[in-house]
Coordinates of all heavy atoms in Angstrom, one line a residue:
M1 N 81.6 78.7 119.8 CA 81.2 78.0 118.6 C 82.5 77.5 117.9 O 83.4 78.3 117.6 CB 80.4 78.9 117.7 CG 80.2 78.4 116.3 SD 79.5 79.5 115.1 CE 78.1 80.1 116.0
Q2 N 82.6 76.3 117.7 CA 83.7 75.7 117.0 C 83.4 75.5 115.5 O 82.2 75.6 115.1 CB 84.1 74.4 117.6 CG 84.6 74.5 119.0 CD 85.9 75.3 119.1 OE1 86.8 75.2 118.3 NE2 86.0 76.2 120.1
E3 N 84.4 75.2 114.7 CA 84.2 75.0 113.3 C 83.2 73.8 113.0 O 83.6 72.7 113.5 CB 85.5 74.8 112.6 CG 85.5 74.3 111.2 CD 84.7 75.3 110.3 OE1 85.0 76.5 110.3 OE2 83.8 74.8 109.6
P4 N 82.1 74.0 112.4 CA 81.1 73.0 112.2 C 81.5 71.9 111.2 O 81.0 70.8 111.1 CB 79.8 73.7 111.8 CG 80.3 75.0 111.2 CD 81.6 75.3 111.9
K5 N 82.4 72.3 110.3 CA 82.7 71.4 109.1 C 83.8 70.3 109.6 O 83.8 69.2 109.0 CB 83.3 72.2 108.0 CG 83.5 71.4 106.7 CD 83.9 72.3 105.6 CE 84.2 71.4 104.3 NZ 84.6 72.3 103.2
Y6 N 84.6 70.6 110.6 CA 85.7 69.7 110.9 C 85.6 69.3 112.4 O 85.1 70.0 113.2 CB 87.0 70.4 110.6 CG 87.2 70.7 109.2 CD1 87.0 71.9 108.7 CD2 87.6 69.7 108.3 CE1 87.2 72.2 107.3 CE2 87.7 69.9 106.9 CZ 87.5 71.2 106.4 OH 87.7 71.4 105.1
D7 N 86.2 68.2 112.7 CA 86.3 67.7 114.0 C 87.8 67.3 114.2 O 88.5 67.1 113.2 CB 85.4 66.5 114.2 CG 85.2 66.1 115.7 OD1 85.7 66.9 116.6 OD2 84.6 65.1 116.0
F8 N 88.2 67.1 115.4 CA 89.6 66.6 115.7 C 89.5 65.3 116.4 O 88.8 65.2 117.4 CB 90.3 67.6 116.6 CG 90.4 69.0 115.9 CD1 89.4 69.9 116.1 CD2 91.4 69.3 115.0 CE1 89.5 71.2 115.5 CE2 91.5 70.5 114.4 CZ 90.5 71.5 114.6
Q9 N 90.1 64.3 115.8 CA 90.1 62.9 116.4 C 91.4 62.3 116.2 O 92.0 62.2 115.1 CB 89.0 62.0 115.6 CG 87.6 62.5 115.7 CD 86.7 61.7 114.9 OE1 87.0 60.7 114.3 NE2 85.4 62.2 114.8
G10 N 92.0 61.8 117.3 CA 93.2 61.1 117.3 C 94.4 61.9 116.7 O 95.2 61.3 115.9
G11 N 94.4 63.2 116.9 CA 95.4 64.1 116.4 C 95.2 64.4 114.9 O 96.1 65.0 114.3
K12 N 94.1 64.1 114.4 CA 93.8 64.4 112.9 C 92.6 65.4 112.8 O 91.8 65.4 113.7 CB 93.4 63.1 112.2 CG 94.4 62.0 112.2 CD 95.5 62.2 111.2 CE 96.4 61.0 111.2 NZ 97.5 61.2 110.3
V13 N 92.6 66.1 111.7 CA 91.5 67.0 111.4 C 90.6 66.2 110.5 O 91.1 65.8 109.4 CB 92.0 68.3 110.8 CG1 90.8 69.2 110.5 CG2 93.0 69.1 111.7
I14 N 89.4 66.0 110.9 CA 88.4 65.1 110.2 C 87.3 66.0 109.6 O 86.7 66.8 110.3 CB 87.8 64.1 111.1 CG1 88.9 63.3 111.8 CG2 86.9 63.1 110.3 CD1 89.8 62.5 111.0
N15 N 87.0 65.8 108.3 CA 85.8 66.4 107.7 C 84.6 65.6 108.3 O 84.5 64.4 108.1 CB 85.9 66.2 106.2 CG 84.7 66.9 105.5 OD1 83.5 66.5 105.7 ND2 85.0 67.8 104.6
R16 N 83.7 66.4 108.9 CA 82.5 65.7 109.5 C 81.6 65.0 108.5 O 81.0 64.0 108.8 CB 81.7 66.7 110.3 CG 82.4 67.2 111.6 CD 81.5 68.3 112.3 NE 82.2 69.1 113.2 CZ 82.2 68.8 114.5 NH1 81.5 67.8 115.0 NH2 82.9 69.6 115.3
A17 N 81.4 65.6 107.4 CA 80.5 65.1 106.4 C 81.0 63.8 105.7 O 80.3 62.8 105.6 CB 80.2 66.1 105.3
S18 N 82.3 63.8 105.4 CA 82.9 62.7 104.7 C 83.6 61.7 105.6 O 83.7 60.5 105.2 CB 83.9 63.1 103.6 OG 85.1 63.6 104.3
G19 N 83.9 62.1 106.8 CA 84.7 61.3 107.7 C 86.1 61.1 107.4 O 86.9 60.4 108.0
K20 N 86.6 61.8 106.3 CA 88.0 61.7 105.9 C 88.9 62.7 106.6 O 88.5 63.8 106.8 CB 88.1 61.9 104.4 CG 87.4 60.8 103.6 CD 87.5 61.0 102.1 CE 86.8 59.9 101.3 NZ 86.9 60.1 99.9
A21 N 90.1 62.2 106.9 CA 91.1 63.1 107.5 C 91.8 64.0 106.5 O 92.0 63.5 105.3 CB 92.1 62.3 108.3
I22 N 92.1 65.2 106.9 CA 93.0 66.0 106.0 C 94.4 65.4 106.1 O 94.9 65.0 107.1 CB 93.1 67.5 106.6 CG1 91.7 68.1 106.4 CG2 94.1 68.3 105.8 CD1 91.6 69.5 107.0
P23 N 95.0 65.2 104.9 CA 96.3 64.5 104.9 C 97.3 65.3 105.7 O 97.3 66.5 105.8 CB 96.7 64.6 103.4 CG 95.4 64.7 102.6 CD 94.5 65.5 103.6
D24 N 98.3 64.5 106.3 CA 99.3 65.1 107.2 C 100.1 66.1 106.5 O 100.7 67.0 107.1 CB 100.2 64.0 107.8 CG 99.4 63.1 108.8 OD1 98.4 63.6 109.3 OD2 99.9 62.0 109.0
D25 N 100.3 66.0 105.2 CA 101.2 66.9 104.5 C 100.4 68.1 103.9 O 101.0 69.0 103.2 CB 101.9 66.2 103.3 CG 101.0 65.7 102.3 OD1 99.8 65.6 102.5 OD2 101.5 65.3 101.2
E26 N 99.1 68.3 104.2 CA 98.4 69.4 103.8 C 98.3 70.5 104.9 O 97.8 70.2 105.9 CB 96.9 69.0 103.4 CG 96.1 70.2 102.9 CD 94.7 69.8 102.5 OE1 94.4 68.6 102.3 OE2 93.9 70.7 102.3
P27 N 98.8 71.7 104.6 CA 98.8 72.7 105.6 C 97.4 73.1 106.0 O 96.5 73.2 105.1 CB 99.5 73.9 105.0 CG 100.4 73.3 103.9 CD 99.6 72.1 103.4
V28 N 97.1 73.4 107.2 CA 95.8 73.9 107.7 C 96.1 75.1 108.6 O 97.1 75.2 109.3 CB 95.2 72.8 108.6 CG1 93.9 73.3 109.2 CG2 94.9 71.6 107.8
M29 N 95.2 76.1 108.4 CA 95.4 77.4 109.2 C 94.1 77.6 110.0 O 93.0 77.4 109.4 CB 95.6 78.5 108.3 CG 95.8 79.8 108.9 SD 96.3 81.0 107.7 CE 96.7 82.4 108.7
V30 N 94.2 78.0 111.2 CA 93.1 78.3 112.1 C 93.0 79.8 112.4 O 94.0 80.3 112.8 CB 93.1 77.5 113.4 CG1 92.0 77.9 114.3 CG2 93.2 76.0 113.1
F31 N 91.9 80.4 112.2 CA 91.7 81.8 112.6 C 90.9 81.8 113.8 O 89.9 81.0 114.0 CB 90.9 82.6 111.5 CG 91.6 82.9 110.2 CD1 91.2 82.3 109.0 CD2 92.7 83.8 110.2 CE1 91.9 82.6 107.9 CE2 93.3 84.1 109.1 CZ 93.0 83.5 107.9
R32 N 91.2 82.7 114.7 CA 90.4 82.9 116.0 C 89.7 84.2 115.9 O 90.2 85.2 115.4 CB 91.3 82.9 117.2 CG 91.9 81.5 117.4 CD 92.7 81.4 118.7 NE 91.9 81.7 119.9 CZ 92.4 81.8 121.1 NH1 93.7 81.6 121.3 NH2 91.6 82.0 122.1
A33 N 88.5 84.2 116.4 CA 87.6 85.4 116.2 C 88.2 86.6 117.0 O 87.9 87.7 116.6 CB 86.2 85.1 116.7
R34 N 89.0 86.4 118.0 CA 89.5 87.5 118.7 C 90.7 88.1 118.1 O 91.2 89.2 118.5 CB 89.8 87.1 120.2 CG 91.0 86.3 120.4 CD 91.2 85.9 121.8 NE 92.5 85.5 122.1 CZ 93.0 85.3 123.3 NH1 92.2 85.4 124.3 NH2 94.2 84.9 123.5
D35 N 91.2 87.5 117.0 CA 92.3 88.1 116.2 C 91.6 89.2 115.3 O 90.8 88.9 114.4 CB 92.9 87.1 115.3 CG 94.1 87.6 114.5 OD1 94.1 88.8 114.2 OD2 94.9 86.8 114.1
F36 N 92.0 90.4 115.5 CA 91.4 91.6 114.8 C 91.4 91.4 113.3 O 90.6 91.9 112.6 CB 92.1 92.9 115.3 CG 91.5 94.1 114.7 CD1 90.3 94.6 115.1 CD2 92.2 94.8 113.7 CE1 89.8 95.7 114.5 CE2 91.7 95.9 113.1 CZ 90.5 96.4 113.5
H37 N 92.5 90.8 112.8 CA 92.6 90.7 111.4 C 91.9 89.5 110.7 O 91.8 89.4 109.5 CB 94.1 90.5 111.0 CG 94.9 91.7 111.5 ND1 94.8 93.0 111.0 CD2 95.9 91.7 112.5 CE1 95.6 93.8 111.7 NE2 96.3 93.1 112.6
A38 N 91.4 88.6 111.5 CA 90.7 87.4 111.0 C 89.4 87.8 110.2 O 89.2 87.3 109.1 CB 90.4 86.4 112.1
S39 N 88.6 88.6 110.8 CA 87.3 88.9 110.2 C 87.5 89.6 108.8 O 86.8 89.1 107.8 CB 86.5 89.9 111.1 OG 85.2 90.1 110.6
P40 N 88.3 90.6 108.6 CA 88.5 91.1 107.3 C 89.1 90.1 106.3 O 88.8 90.2 105.1 CB 89.4 92.3 107.4 CG 89.9 92.3 108.8 CD 89.0 91.4 109.6
M41 N 89.9 89.2 106.8 CA 90.5 88.2 105.9 C 89.4 87.2 105.4 O 89.4 86.8 104.2 CB 91.6 87.4 106.5 CG 92.9 88.3 106.8 SD 93.6 89.4 105.6 CE 93.3 88.7 104.0
I42 N 88.5 86.9 106.3 CA 87.4 86.0 105.9 C 86.5 86.7 104.9 O 86.1 86.1 103.9 CB 86.6 85.5 107.2 CG1 87.5 84.6 108.0 CG2 85.3 84.8 106.8 CD1 87.0 84.3 109.4
K43 N 86.2 87.9 105.1 CA 85.4 88.7 104.2 C 86.1 88.8 102.8 O 85.4 88.6 101.8 CB 85.1 90.1 104.7 CG 84.4 91.0 103.8 CD 82.9 90.5 103.6 CE 82.1 91.5 102.9 NZ 82.3 91.7 101.5
Y44 N 87.4 89.0 102.8 CA 88.1 89.1 101.6 C 88.0 87.7 100.8 O 87.8 87.7 99.6 CB 89.6 89.4 101.8 CG 90.5 89.4 100.6 CD1 90.4 90.5 99.7 CD2 91.3 88.4 100.3 CE1 91.2 90.5 98.6 CE2 92.1 88.4 99.2 CZ 92.1 89.4 98.3 OH 92.8 89.4 97.2
Y45 N 88.2 86.6 101.6 CA 88.1 85.3 101.0 C 86.7 85.1 100.4 O 86.5 84.6 99.3 CB 88.4 84.2 102.0 CG 88.2 82.8 101.5 CD1 89.1 82.3 100.6 CD2 87.1 82.1 101.8 CE1 89.0 81.0 100.1 CE2 86.9 80.8 101.3 CZ 87.8 80.3 100.5 OH 87.6 79.0 100.0
A46 N 85.6 85.5 101.1 CA 84.3 85.4 100.7 C 84.0 86.1 99.4 O 83.3 85.7 98.5 CB 83.3 85.9 101.7
D47 N 84.7 87.3 99.3 CA 84.5 88.1 98.0 C 85.1 87.4 96.8 O 84.7 87.7 95.7 CB 85.2 89.5 98.2 CG 84.4 90.4 99.2 OD1 83.2 90.1 99.4 OD2 85.0 91.3 99.6
L48 N 86.1 86.5 97.0 CA 86.7 85.8 96.0 C 86.0 84.5 95.5 O 86.1 84.0 94.4 CB 88.2 85.3 96.4 CG 89.1 86.5 96.6 CD1 90.4 85.9 97.2 CD2 89.4 87.3 95.4
V49 N 85.1 84.0 96.4 CA 84.4 82.8 96.2 C 83.3 83.0 95.1 O 82.5 83.9 95.2 CB 83.8 82.2 97.5 CG1 82.9 81.0 97.3 CG2 84.9 81.9 98.5
K50 N 83.3 82.1 94.2 CA 82.3 82.2 93.1 C 81.0 81.4 93.4 O 79.9 81.8 93.0 CB 82.9 81.7 91.8 CG 84.2 82.5 91.4 CD 83.9 83.9 91.0 CE 85.1 84.6 90.5 NZ 85.2 86.0 90.9
D51 N 81.1 80.2 93.9 CA 80.0 79.3 94.2 C 79.1 80.0 95.2 O 79.5 80.3 96.4 CB 80.5 78.0 94.7 CG 79.3 77.1 95.0 OD1 78.8 76.5 94.1 OD2 79.0 77.0 96.2
P52 N 77.8 80.2 94.9 CA 76.9 80.9 95.9 C 76.7 80.2 97.2 O 76.6 80.8 98.2 CB 75.6 81.0 95.1 CG 75.9 80.8 93.7 CD 77.2 80.0 93.6
M53 N 76.6 78.9 97.2 CA 76.5 78.1 98.4 C 77.7 78.2 99.3 O 77.6 78.5 100.5 CB 76.1 76.7 98.1 CG 75.8 75.9 99.4 SD 75.3 74.2 99.1 CE 73.7 74.4 98.3
H54 N 78.9 78.1 98.7 CA 80.1 78.2 99.5 C 80.3 79.6 100.0 O 80.6 79.8 101.2 CB 81.3 77.8 98.6 CG 82.6 77.8 99.3 ND1 83.8 77.6 98.6 CD2 83.0 77.9 100.6 CE1 84.8 77.6 99.5 NE2 84.3 77.8 100.7
K55 N 79.9 80.6 99.2 CA 80.0 82.0 99.6 C 79.1 82.3 100.8 O 79.5 82.9 101.7 CB 79.6 82.9 98.4 CG 79.8 84.4 98.8 CD 79.3 85.3 97.6 CE 80.1 86.5 97.4 NZ 81.4 86.4 96.9
G56 N 77.9 81.7 100.7 CA 77.0 81.8 101.9 C 77.5 81.3 103.2 O 77.4 81.9 104.2
V57 N 78.1 80.1 103.1 CA 78.7 79.5 104.3 C 79.9 80.4 104.8 O 80.0 80.6 106.0 CB 79.2 78.1 103.9 CG1 80.0 77.5 105.1 CG2 78.0 77.2 103.6
V58 N 80.7 80.9 103.9 CA 81.8 81.7 104.4 C 81.3 83.0 105.0 O 81.8 83.5 106.0 CB 82.8 82.0 103.2 CG1 83.9 83.0 103.6 CG2 83.4 80.7 102.7
M59 N 80.3 83.6 104.4 CA 79.7 84.8 104.9 C 79.0 84.6 106.3 O 79.1 85.4 107.2 CB 78.7 85.4 103.9 CG 79.3 86.1 102.7 SD 80.5 87.4 103.2 CE 79.4 88.6 104.0
D60 N 78.4 83.4 106.5 CA 77.9 83.1 107.8 C 79.0 83.1 108.8 O 78.8 83.6 109.9 CB 77.2 81.7 107.8 CG 75.9 81.7 107.0 OD1 75.3 82.7 106.7 OD2 75.4 80.5 106.8
R61 N 80.1 82.5 108.5 CA 81.2 82.5 109.4 C 81.8 83.9 109.7 O 82.1 84.3 110.8 CB 82.3 81.5 108.9 CG 83.5 81.3 109.9 CD 83.1 81.1 111.3 NE 82.2 80.1 111.6 CZ 82.4 78.9 112.2 NH1 83.6 78.7 112.7 NH2 81.4 78.1 112.4
Y62 N 81.9 84.7 108.6 CA 82.3 86.1 108.7 C 81.4 86.8 109.7 O 81.9 87.5 110.6 CB 82.2 86.8 107.4 CG 82.3 88.3 107.4 CD1 83.5 88.9 107.7 CD2 81.2 89.1 107.2 CE1 83.6 90.3 107.8 CE2 81.2 90.4 107.3 CZ 82.4 91.1 107.6 OH 82.5 92.4 107.6
H63 N 80.1 86.7 109.6 CA 79.1 87.3 110.5 C 79.3 86.8 112.0 O 79.2 87.6 112.9 CB 77.7 87.2 110.1 CG 77.4 87.9 108.8 ND1 77.5 89.3 108.7 CD2 77.1 87.5 107.6 CE1 77.2 89.6 107.5 NE2 76.9 88.6 106.8
D64 N 79.6 85.5 112.1 CA 79.9 85.0 113.5 C 81.1 85.7 114.1 O 81.1 86.1 115.2 CB 80.2 83.5 113.4 CG 79.0 82.7 113.0 OD1 77.8 83.2 113.2 OD2 79.2 81.5 112.6
F65 N 82.2 85.9 113.3 CA 83.4 86.5 113.7 C 83.1 88.0 114.1 O 83.6 88.5 115.1 CB 84.5 86.5 112.7 CG 85.3 85.2 112.7 CD1 84.8 84.0 112.6 CD2 86.7 85.4 112.9 CE1 85.6 82.9 112.7 CE2 87.5 84.2 113.0 CZ 87.0 83.0 112.9
E66 N 82.3 88.7 113.2 CA 82.0 90.1 113.5 C 81.2 90.2 114.8 O 81.5 91.1 115.6 CB 81.2 90.7 112.3 CG 82.1 91.0 111.1 CD 83.0 92.2 111.5 OE1 82.6 93.3 111.6 OE2 84.2 92.0 111.7
M67 N 80.2 89.4 115.0 CA 79.4 89.5 116.2 C 80.3 89.2 117.4 O 80.1 89.9 118.5 CB 78.3 88.5 116.2 CG 77.2 88.8 115.1 SD 76.5 90.5 115.4 CE 75.8 90.4 117.0
F68 N 81.2 88.2 117.4 CA 82.1 88.0 118.5 C 82.9 89.2 118.8 O 83.0 89.6 119.9 CB 83.0 86.8 118.1 CG 84.0 86.5 119.2 CD1 83.7 85.5 120.2 CD2 85.2 87.1 119.3 CE1 84.6 85.2 121.2 CE2 86.1 86.8 120.3 CZ 85.8 85.8 121.2
R69 N 83.5 89.8 117.8 CA 84.4 90.9 117.9 C 83.6 92.1 118.5 O 84.0 92.8 119.4 CB 85.0 91.3 116.6 CG 86.0 92.4 116.7 CD 86.7 92.6 115.4 NE 85.8 93.1 114.4 CZ 85.5 94.4 114.2 NH1 85.9 95.3 115.1 NH2 84.7 94.8 113.2
L70 N 82.4 92.4 118.0 CA 81.6 93.5 118.4 C 81.1 93.3 119.9 O 81.1 94.3 120.7 CB 80.5 93.8 117.5 CG 80.9 94.2 116.1 CD1 79.7 94.2 115.2 CD2 81.5 95.6 116.1
K71 N 80.7 92.2 120.2 CA 80.2 91.9 121.6 C 81.3 92.0 122.6 O 81.0 92.4 123.7 CB 79.6 90.5 121.7 CG 78.3 90.4 121.0 CD 77.8 88.9 121.2 CE 76.5 88.7 120.4 NZ 76.0 87.3 120.5
R72 N 82.5 91.7 122.2 CA 83.6 91.7 123.2 C 84.5 92.9 123.0 O 85.5 93.0 123.7 CB 84.4 90.4 123.1 CG 83.6 89.3 123.7 CD 84.1 87.9 123.2 NE 83.3 86.9 123.8 CZ 82.2 86.4 123.3 NH1 81.6 87.0 122.2 NH2 81.5 85.4 123.8
H73 N 84.2 93.8 122.1 CA 84.9 95.0 121.9 C 86.4 94.8 121.6 O 87.2 95.6 122.0 CB 84.8 96.0 123.1 CG 83.4 96.2 123.5 ND1 82.5 97.0 122.8 CD2 82.7 95.7 124.6 CE1 81.3 97.0 123.4 NE2 81.4 96.3 124.4
Y74 N 86.7 93.8 120.8 CA 88.0 93.6 120.4 C 88.3 94.6 119.3 O 87.6 94.7 118.3 CB 88.2 92.1 119.8 CG 88.4 91.1 120.9 CD1 87.4 90.2 121.1 CD2 89.5 91.1 121.7 CE1 87.5 89.2 122.1 CE2 89.7 90.1 122.7 CZ 88.7 89.2 122.9 OH 88.8 88.3 123.9
V75 N 89.4 95.3 119.4 CA 89.7 96.4 118.5 C 91.1 96.3 117.9 O 91.4 97.2 117.0 CB 89.5 97.8 119.1 CG1 88.0 98.0 119.5 CG2 90.4 97.9 120.4
G76 N 92.0 95.4 118.3 CA 93.2 95.5 117.6 C 94.3 94.6 118.0 O 95.5 94.8 117.6
N77 N 94.1 93.5 118.7 CA 95.2 92.6 119.1 C 95.0 91.2 118.6 O 93.9 90.7 118.6 CB 95.4 92.6 120.6 CG 95.9 93.9 121.1 OD1 96.7 94.6 120.5 ND2 95.3 94.3 122.2
A78 N 96.1 90.6 118.2 CA 96.0 89.2 117.8 C 96.1 88.4 119.1 O 96.7 88.8 120.1 CB 97.1 88.8 116.9
P79 N 95.5 87.2 119.1 CA 95.6 86.4 120.3 C 97.1 85.9 120.6 O 97.9 85.7 119.7 CB 94.8 85.2 120.0 CG 94.7 85.1 118.5 CD 94.8 86.5 118.1
S80 N 97.4 85.8 121.9 CA 98.7 85.4 122.2 C 98.8 83.9 122.6 O 99.8 83.4 122.9 CB 99.3 86.2 123.4 OG 98.4 86.1 124.5
D81 N 97.6 83.3 122.6 CA 97.5 81.8 123.0 C 96.7 81.1 122.0 O 96.0 81.7 121.2 CB 97.0 81.6 124.4 CG 95.6 82.3 124.6 OD1 95.2 83.0 123.8 OD2 95.1 81.9 125.7

């Protein structure tokens, strides 16, 4: 499952809803589900979010990461690739 909000086109990260590219000078970070630390960081971020709809979307992604980790028994390594 890839990030549903964004797409990659022509070397750019594109917001699927608006069709707008993230500016070249704006940093972007990608978490992978097999990174043991990604899931707790997403949960921490969700706890900080105030907007209920945004919080729900973040929690959905948190649950996706947790299910991936539990199904594959990832217990403690960050990805090397």
Side-chain angles (χ1 to χ4, degrees):
M1 169 189 307
Q2 296 294 322
E3 172 56 50
K5 185 174 179 178
Y6 297 100
D7 195 10
F8 300 92
Q9 299 173 8
K12 302 280 186 182
V13 180
I14 308 294
N15 182 301
R16 290 179 196 262
S18 71
K20 294 182 180 179
I22 294 176
D24 290 337
D25 63 345
E26 181 179 346
V28 175
M29 183 173 185
V30 175
F31 288 113
R32 291 184 63 183
R34 72 183 202 174
D35 182 336
F36 182 74
H37 302 293
S39 185
M41 294 311 332
I42 293 169
K43 176 66 169 76
Y44 177 77
Y45 176 77
D47 291 342
L48 298 174
V49 173
K50 303 293 184 212
D51 178 81
M53 186 176 290
H54 186 186
K55 184 182 215 76
V57 170
V58 175
M59 286 302 297
D60 287 347
R61 185 46 51 117
Y62 165 74
H63 291 297
D64 292 342
F65 271 61
E66 281 293 286
M67 290 305 300
F68 179 92
R69 187 175 64 82
L70 293 172
K71 285 180 184 177
R72 288 162 180 81
H73 307 288
Y74 282 110
V75 294
N77 292 319
S80 59
D81 57 348

